[in-house]
């Protein structure tokens, strides 16, 4: 849908007058999975698709929420914008309004809002972070609060914790707020120091394969992994003083690994610590143009997420296995939280068509589900469009 069409839809619903439009992207993570809430490194890029949000302020003391692609509408009094309204999608933007109120800021005007997303929801491409960041960037601009971008990302993350009850890390909101066209964000999730690294893929595309098996972050499995990582930190503490798994190097981990008695907790920690190392190595390889080694690290990441972290499952594993069989595939792994969702693969230009055709066929044959493919374009972080 074009921005002109979006404006028309807004006017159809709310009547004519001035309209402002904002956009924040979904993301694909190239490597560094389940490391963010462990104070580790991540390496995601913002996508060209995401969530659009149109707004007009009003002198009614309510905010009206509607979406072109999600069911459910709501009208909420401005003083009630800090109260959850259950499991509907509206709860995400409301959760963001609530974060502004928590800072002691108030809304002197009501507003009419219309949302639209072209990022697939529930596919592990961070449609929820895109929704939170689009809302945060919009509120900040329209109401003139002057909060900086990184703080807006943190507010989006808090909204997710408090209103969606997922104890997520900062990766998704950060890249949705701070991403840059044709760059990946190399982020230290402990200090929030970051580098924008140009993604120069000579003759290679980033292909996203959607298993069309919804990832279920709110199913409790995500929070279970967060808790298992905290248990690993506790088990390591008598031997090395750490506050997060991000504070122990791979070599140090090898020395204390067998002190972690619970084998599941040990495996979870092994994934996290090795993934943090892989992420740092991968960024070095990309910078020096060694895509082959970058792809091997992507493969290593998936295998570790499958074997030690156990967040893949039959659909993601089948997609990755089928992808790796294709000539011209440099690396392939799950991306995002896991338990369904998408994979990300580096595929040589000349193999992209055959990849989509062959992997699509074989995946459908094996799982009975029709997948979807997108050739990723790396876009900018959240911004005002008009
Ligand atoms: C989800 C979370 C992120 C991150 C990833 C896994 O996308 O929202 O914070 O933990 O899973 O890397």
């Amino acid at each position: 849908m074009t921005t002109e069409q979006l404006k028309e839809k807004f006017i159809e619903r709310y009547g004519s007058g001035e309209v402002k439009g904002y956009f924040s992207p979904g993301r694909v993570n190239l490597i560094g999975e389940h490391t963010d809430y462990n104070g580790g490194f991540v390496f995601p890029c913002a996508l060209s698709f995401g969530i659009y949000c149109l707004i007009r302020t009003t002198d009614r003391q309510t905010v009206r929420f509607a979406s072109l692609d999600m069911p459910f509408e709501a009208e909420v009094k401005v003083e009630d914008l800090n109260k959850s309204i259950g499991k509907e999608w509206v709860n995400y933007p409301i959760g963001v309004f609530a974060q502004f109120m928590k800072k002691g800021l108030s809304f002197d005007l009501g507003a009419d809002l219309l949302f639209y997303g072209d990022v697939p929801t529930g596919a592990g491409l961070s449609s929820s972070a895109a929704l939170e960041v689009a809302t945060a960037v919009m509120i900040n601009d329209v109401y003139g609060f002057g909060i900086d971008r990184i703080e807006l990302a943190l507010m989006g993350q808090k909204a997710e914790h408090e209103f969606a009850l997922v104890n997520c890390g900062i990766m998704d909101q950060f890249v949705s707020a701070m991403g840059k066209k044709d760059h990946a964000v190399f982020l230290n999730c402990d200090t929030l120091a970051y580098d924008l690294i140009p993604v120069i893929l000579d003759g290679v595309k980033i292909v996203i394969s959607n298993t069309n098996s919804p990832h279920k972050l709110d199913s409790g499995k995500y929070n279970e992994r967060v808790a298992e990582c905290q248990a690993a930190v506790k088990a390591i503490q008598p031997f090395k003083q750490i506050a997060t798994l991000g504070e122990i190097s791979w070599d140090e981990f090898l020395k204390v690994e067998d002190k972690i008695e619970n084998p599941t907790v040990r495996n979870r920690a092994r994934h996290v610590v090795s993934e943090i190392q892989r992420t740092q190595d991968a960024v070095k390889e990309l910078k020096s143009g060694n895509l082959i080694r970058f792809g091997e690290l992507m493969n290593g990441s998936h295998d570790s997420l499958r074997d030690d972290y156990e967040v893949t499952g039959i659909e993601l594993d089948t997609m990755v296995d089928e992808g790796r069989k294709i000539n011209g595939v440099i690396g392939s792994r799950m991306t995002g939280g896991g338990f369904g969702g998408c994979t990300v693969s580096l595929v040589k230009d000349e193999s992209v068509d055959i990849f989509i055709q062959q992997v699509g066929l074989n995946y459908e044959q094996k799982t009975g589900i029709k997948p979807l493919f997108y050739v990723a374009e790396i876009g900018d972080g959240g911004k005002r469009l008009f």
Side-chain angles (χ1 to χ4, degrees):
M1 194 166 311
T2 63
T3 50
E4 272 320 303
Q5 288 167 323
L6 280 174
K7 263 190 216 170
E8 278 168 27
K9 296 275 178 201
F10 186 95
I11 286 166
E12 255 169 50
R13 173 176 294 269
Y14 294 119
S16 54
E18 196 212 357
V19 190
K20 289 179 180 170
Y22 296 81
F23 169 82
S24 265
R27 62 98 189 92
V28 63
N29 188 19
L30 298 179
I31 194 163
E33 218 66 85
H34 288 278
T35 51
D36 59 353
Y37 52 85
N38 288 297
F41 290 94
V42 293
F43 196 46
C45 358
L47 292 169
S48 55
F49 45 54
I51 302 284
Y52 295 78
C53 180
L54 277 65
I55 183 167
R56 176 186 299 149
T57 51
T58 67
D59 42 23
R60 239 177 308 104
Q61 288 298 299
T62 64
V63 175
R64 291 195 284 187
F65 297 86
S67 162
L68 291 178
D69 50 342
M70 303 286 274
F72 195 77
E73 293 174 10
E75 177 160 10
V76 181
K77 289 192 190 138
V78 284
E79 68 266 26
D80 288 339
L81 284 167
N82 54 0
K83 297 192 182 88
S84 165
I85 59 168
K87 280 197 166 289
E88 303 298 341
W89 69 269
V90 176
N91 216 32
Y92 289 86
I94 291 181
V96 174
F97 272 97
Q99 301 311 316
F100 285 90
M101 291 173 80
K102 276 195 159 179
K103 288 188 181 293
L105 300 166
S106 58
F107 305 101
D108 46 347
L109 294 169
D112 289 336
L113 305 181
L114 183 65
F115 292 88
Y116 168 72
D118 57 5
V119 55
T121 52
L125 299 178
S126 269
S127 56
S128 57
L131 177 53
E132 288 149 3
V133 174
T135 309
V137 169
M138 173 196 69
I139 296 173
N140 193 45
D141 191 50
V142 169
Y143 290 91
F145 291 140
I147 294 173
D148 73 58
R149 286 267 154 162
I150 294 183
E151 185 59 25
L152 292 177
L154 288 164
M155 290 162 75
Q157 182 195 22
K158 277 210 189 111
E160 181 105 13
H161 289 180
E162 293 167 10
F163 282 69
L165 307 183
V166 177
N167 295 327
C168 66
I170 187 61
M171 167 167 75
D172 303 346
Q173 291 81 6
F174 195 96
V175 66
S176 187
M178 305 295 292
K180 185 172 171 207
K181 189 167 169 46
D182 297 331
H183 288 70
V185 182
F186 181 38
L187 172 66
N188 177 335
C189 299
D190 181 30
T191 60
L192 299 187
Y194 69 100
D195 261 337
L196 294 170
I197 311 288
V199 178
I200 299 164
L201 303 174
D202 236 357
V204 170
K205 296 271 185 294
I206 300 172
V207 180
I208 298 172
S209 311
N210 186 344
T211 62
N212 267 331
S213 159
H215 83 143
K216 303 174 194 76
L217 271 197
D218 55 355
S219 68
K221 287 282 176 210
Y222 185 92
N223 290 350
E224 185 183 287
R225 292 297 179 280
V226 176
E228 286 163 345
C229 290
Q230 286 159 355
V233 168
K234 270 220 171 102
I236 293 171
Q237 273 169 346
F239 311 98
K240 181 170 166 57
Q241 249 322 304
I242 55 166
T244 65
L245 288 174
E247 290 175 13
I248 186 164
S249 71
W250 177 242
D251 289 341
E252 289 168 331
F253 177 74
L254 290 176
K255 289 185 203 134
V256 298
E257 186 176 17
D258 29 320
K259 307 278 197 299
I260 307 173
E261 274 170 28
N262 180 326
T264 305
V265 170
R266 193 187 313 135
N267 290 346
R268 304 300 189 242
R270 188 185 308 125
H271 164 71
V272 171
V273 180
S274 65
E275 182 77 354
I276 292 172
Q277 186 61 53
R278 270 189 295 275
T279 307
Q280 290 168 279
D281 293 346
V283 173
K284 276 191 206 125
E285 300 297 354
L286 183 69
K287 279 181 168 169
S288 60
N290 191 347
L291 278 191
I292 298 296
R293 184 69 196 122
F294 188 92
E296 285 166 2
L297 290 160
M298 287 174 77
N299 289 343
S301 165
H302 183 87
D303 298 351
S304 172
L305 287 155
R306 179 191 61 212
D307 301 336
D308 283 339
Y309 219 61
E310 297 182 275
V311 292
T312 58
I314 184 76
E315 293 88 359
L316 286 167
D317 289 336
T318 305
M319 192 71 91
V320 160
D321 291 346
E322 292 306 322
R324 287 183 190 168
K325 285 182 193 160
I326 308 287
N327 256 332
V329 171
I330 294 170
S332 186
R333 58 180 291 276
M334 59 154 270
T335 185
F339 309 109
C342 289
T343 67
V344 55
S345 310
L346 293 187
V347 185
K348 289 194 176 153
D349 284 352
E350 62 272 20
S351 305
V352 170
D353 289 344
I354 187 88
F355 177 93
I356 292 176
Q357 196 190 350
Q358 229 20 75
V359 176
L361 215 66
N362 295 345
Y363 173 82
E364 188 175 350
Q365 236 163 38
K366 294 202 164 147
T367 62
I369 309 171
K370 232 186 184 6
L372 277 173
F373 298 90
Y374 325 93
V375 176
E377 272 175 53
I378 306 180
D380 283 321
K383 57 185 173 199
R384 181 168 172 192
L385 295 176
F386 52 86

